[in-house]
């Protein structure tokens, strides 16, 4: 392919790349927010058993990432580019496995339900990884211009946010009955509709984006050695800073999206407020998307992605240690806590792309898929730890999955309240410290090479 034939970076790349994360979150956001509700509350799996299932499944999921990343790096570019072929063939299994994961059969033997949850989740994870790792790696080959990468990171956040709106805002009004309990028979239909929408989004992603750099920079004689890549990854303090903060965000701060379901079911006793809570919690991210471009002219990505976490720590601390009876006041503090992570969420993928470039300049090897996959491995371990942590914490509160939301024992609701705020509070502190002490890159990684 001649350079003059390559279409310049533009609006098509932005829209297409946004649709990629929109498609991923049509599956991921629903599973992340409702899998525990479905299998614990609807299917009747005990919280402690679900915690073990999801932790083991996430470890399996994490192992997939470097394997698929290595395969992507070693594969020759096809007609559509280096990564689009993976997305093309994995998107249909992702749709099918997402739907099968929410088959409602509460009368099945308990062991069968355990096997169903674990087995189908593992199949889904392979499909999701086969789409998500190539998609995330694409940013490094679409453009190498810092401003354009920041734009791609921003539109990716927009795509993810747009996918999460129906999950967090519309679905609570559909899935809960008048007694504040979820209706398990509806999950299958909902995830099927969302899966089809996601599948179409992946088709548009492939049609609209252009992989510009892969043909020019990939060394075909380069032999794949993941252990060498992993060793370099661990020596890259900047990558470690982003990885630790991402793990803390996913394992600790993001637990509020799951535990929020239970705090409104059991403590505030009003699930109709969940959409309002979600909108208020999501508004700061919208503000971050709008404000990141002008603020980037005054502050570095490190500054924008580090010090606002102090706001998160203060707000989530108040939401933990001050007992609010008014749900709207509690929601406001959760919204403020989420604001502290808004710029980090918008710019995370630009940080990762910069770290990938930095590692290439330090090692002389171009292996964006393997590096991204390693980063994704730790993210998925964090997601597993977060889901397990919430499930275990829910069990420690005394929550009984055989009882309705309004029938829990005395003191359970108050413990759920503390749990919902305390875990994000700890996570925001870790995010602040890891980004401050480990991440040292400026906005131009080349300037960091001595």
């Amino acid at each position: 392919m001649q350079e003059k034939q390559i279409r310049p970076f533009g609006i098509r790349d932005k829209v297409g790349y946004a649709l990629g994360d929109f498609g991923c979150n049509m599956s991921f956001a629903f599973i992340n927010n409702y899998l525990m509700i479905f299998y614990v509350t609807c299917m009747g799996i005990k919280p402690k058993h679900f915690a073990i299932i999801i932790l083991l499944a996430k470890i399996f999921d994490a192992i997939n990432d470097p394997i698929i990343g290595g395969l992507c790096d070693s594969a020759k570019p096809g007609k559509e580019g280096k990564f689009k072929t993976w997305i093309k063939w994995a998107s249909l299994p992702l749709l099918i496995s997402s739907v099968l994961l929410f088959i409602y059969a509460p009368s099945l033997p308990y062991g069968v339900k355990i096997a169903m949850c674990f087995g189908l989740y593992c199949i889904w994870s392979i499909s999701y990884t086969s789409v998500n790792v190539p998609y995330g790696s694409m940013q490094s080959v679409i453009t190498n211009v810092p401003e354009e990468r920041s734009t791609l990171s921003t539109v990716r956040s927009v795509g993810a946010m747009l996918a999460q709106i129906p999950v967090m805002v519309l679905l609570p009004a559909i899935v809960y009955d008048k007694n504040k309990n979820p209706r398990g028979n509806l999950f299958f239909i909902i995830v099927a509709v969302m899966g089809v929408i996601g599948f179409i989004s992946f088709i548009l992603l492939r049609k609209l984006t252009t992989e510009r750099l892969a043909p020019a920079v990939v060394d075909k004689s380069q032999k794949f050695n993941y252990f060498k890549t992993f060793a370099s990854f661990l020596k890259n303090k900047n990558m470690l800073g982003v990885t630790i903060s991402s793990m803390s965000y996913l394992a600790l701060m993001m637990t509020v999206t799951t535990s929020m379901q239970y705090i409104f079911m059991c403590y505030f006793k009003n699930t109709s407020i969940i959409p309002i809570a979600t909108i208020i919690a999501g508004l700061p991210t919208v503000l971050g998307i709008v404000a990141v471009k002008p603020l980037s002219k005054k502050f570095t990505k490190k500054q924008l992605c580090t010090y606002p976490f102090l706001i998160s720590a203060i707000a989530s601390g108040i939401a933990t240690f001050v007992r609010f009876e008014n749900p709207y006041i509690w929601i406001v503090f959760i919204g403020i806590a989420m604001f502290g992570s808004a710029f980090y969420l918008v710019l995370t993928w630009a940080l990762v792309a910069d770290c990938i470039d930095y590692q290439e300049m330090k090692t002389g090897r171009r292996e964006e898929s393997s590096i991204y996959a390693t980063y994704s491995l730790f993210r998925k371990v964090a997601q597993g730890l977060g889901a397990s942590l919430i499930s275990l914490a829910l069990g420690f509160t005394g929550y009984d999955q055989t009882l309705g939301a309004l029938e829990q024992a005395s003191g359970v609701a108050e413990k759920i309240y503390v749990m919902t705020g305390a875990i994000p509070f700890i996570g925001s502190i870790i995010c602040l410290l890891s980004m401050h002490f480990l991440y040292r890159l400026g906005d131009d990684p080349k300037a960091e090479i001595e």
Side-chain angles (χ1 to χ4, degrees):
M1 181 180 294
Q2 299 297 321
E3 185 176 355
K4 64 180 180 181
Q5 296 176 316
I6 300 178
R7 178 178 53 80
F9 179 86
I11 187 65
R12 286 182 56 179
D13 296 285
K14 299 173 187 178
V15 174
Y17 202 70
L19 285 171
D21 218 9
F22 179 85
C24 287
N25 277 277
M26 277 286 109
S27 175
F28 177 80
F30 187 84
I31 289 175
N32 188 54
N33 288 287
Y34 285 98
L35 188 69
M36 180 176 170
I37 288 287
F38 179 75
Y39 276 100
V40 171
T41 305
C42 300
M43 294 286 283
I45 292 179
K46 296 179 181 180
K48 62 181 180 181
H49 293 159
F50 181 82
I52 297 172
I53 291 170
I54 203 65
L55 180 60
L56 293 177
K58 277 296 183 181
I59 292 174
F60 173 83
D61 189 10
I63 294 173
N64 294 329
D65 287 69
I67 295 174
I68 293 175
L71 291 173
C72 285
D73 278 334
S74 60
K76 296 180 180 179
K79 293 182 179 179
E80 292 188 84
K82 186 176 181 181
F83 303 110
K84 292 181 183 179
T85 301
W86 286 85
I87 297 172
K88 176 181 179 180
W89 293 109
S91 54
L92 182 58
L94 176 61
L95 165 60
I96 296 172
S97 59
S98 298
V99 174
L100 293 178
L101 191 56
F102 286 93
I103 295 176
Y104 182 57
S107 60
L108 287 174
Y110 193 77
V112 175
K113 289 188 285 188
I114 293 286
M116 173 182 166
C117 180
F118 180 76
L120 289 175
Y121 188 89
C122 288
I123 295 172
W124 172 83
S125 71
I126 295 173
S127 303
Y128 182 79
T129 301
S130 298
V131 171
N132 187 253
V133 167
Y135 166 70
S137 303
M138 282 179 64
Q139 182 172 341
S140 297
V141 299
I142 290 176
T143 178
N144 59 359
V145 178
E147 294 79 9
E148 293 174 352
R149 283 188 172 175
S150 294
T151 299
L152 287 177
S153 185
T154 300
V155 298
R156 176 174 183 169
S157 299
V158 172
M161 182 187 67
L162 291 176
Q164 291 169 6
I165 289 176
V167 175
M168 300 299 293
V169 178
L170 300 180
L171 295 189
I174 300 174
V175 301
Y176 291 100
D177 61 23
K178 62 180 180 180
N179 295 319
K180 319 306 176 190
N181 296 310
R183 295 184 286 183
N185 60 308
L186 294 182
F187 284 76
F188 182 90
I189 300 172
I190 293 170
V191 77
V193 173
M194 296 180 66
V196 171
I197 295 172
F199 183 76
I200 296 172
S201 299
F202 293 133
I203 295 175
L204 295 174
L205 161 69
R206 291 168 28 230
K207 297 295 183 182
L208 294 176
T209 56
T210 299
E211 299 180 14
R212 295 174 177 81
L213 303 181
V217 299
V218 172
D219 181 4
K220 295 182 180 180
S221 64
Q222 174 178 301
K223 293 183 179 180
F224 174 66
N225 186 335
Y226 179 70
F227 295 104
K228 192 173 184 179
T229 300
F230 187 73
S232 299
F233 182 97
L234 295 179
K235 294 178 182 178
N236 187 341
K237 290 185 179 180
N238 301 291
M239 194 78 233
L240 288 179
V242 177
T243 302
I244 293 172
S245 58
S246 292
M247 291 183 69
S248 299
Y249 178 81
L250 293 169
L252 301 173
M253 292 187 69
M254 276 298 290
T255 58
V256 72
T257 62
T258 300
S259 56
M260 184 184 290
Q261 312 285 336
Y262 289 95
I263 196 173
F264 284 105
M265 286 168 56
C266 302
Y267 183 82
F268 292 120
K269 298 180 174 61
N270 189 349
T271 56
S272 64
I273 305 178
I274 293 178
I276 299 174
T278 304
I279 292 173
I280 293 179
L283 281 177
T285 302
V286 177
L287 178 61
I289 292 171
V290 174
V292 68
K293 187 172 183 179
L295 288 178
S296 294
K297 298 177 180 178
K298 297 182 179 180
F299 303 98
T300 65
K301 288 198 286 283
K302 173 185 169 67
Q303 292 171 331
L304 291 174
C305 294
T306 302
Y307 304 111
F309 278 118
L310 181 60
I311 299 174
S312 298
I314 294 173
S316 57
I318 293 174
T320 302
F321 301 111
V322 178
R323 190 63 56 83
F324 295 112
E325 299 298 330
N326 187 323
Y328 296 100
I329 298 177
W330 182 84
I331 290 170
V332 168
F333 279 98
I334 292 299
I336 295 172
M338 296 307 292
F339 170 78
S341 63
F343 299 116
Y344 180 84
L345 290 177
V346 173
L347 293 171
T348 294
W349 306 110
L351 298 179
V352 172
D354 287 346
C355 289
I356 289 174
D357 280 351
Y358 178 79
Q359 184 154 328
E360 180 198 357
M361 288 183 281
K362 293 288 286 185
T363 64
R365 300 189 304 274
R366 185 76 187 183
E367 42 197 5
E368 57 274 293
S369 292
S370 296
I371 300 171
Y372 179 88
T374 304
Y375 169 70
S376 182
L377 181 154
F378 285 108
R379 282 175 59 90
K380 288 184 177 179
V381 169
Q383 290 162 3
L385 290 173
S388 297
L389 179 62
I390 286 297
S391 187
L392 288 173
L394 187 65
F396 287 135
T397 66
Y399 177 84
D400 188 342
Q401 76 278 4
T402 64
L403 301 177
L406 306 181
E407 302 170 352
Q408 298 296 318
S410 175
V412 170
E414 288 71 18
K415 293 177 182 177
I416 291 176
Y417 180 96
V418 174
M419 171 193 78
T420 304
I423 297 176
F425 170 67
I426 296 171
S428 58
I429 294 176
I430 296 176
C431 288
L432 173 66
L433 296 177
S434 62
M435 285 297 295
H436 175 73
F437 289 108
L438 292 176
Y439 188 85
R440 298 296 180 90
L441 285 181
D443 286 346
D444 183 6
K446 295 180 181 179
E448 306 297 324
I449 302 294
E450 299 180 352

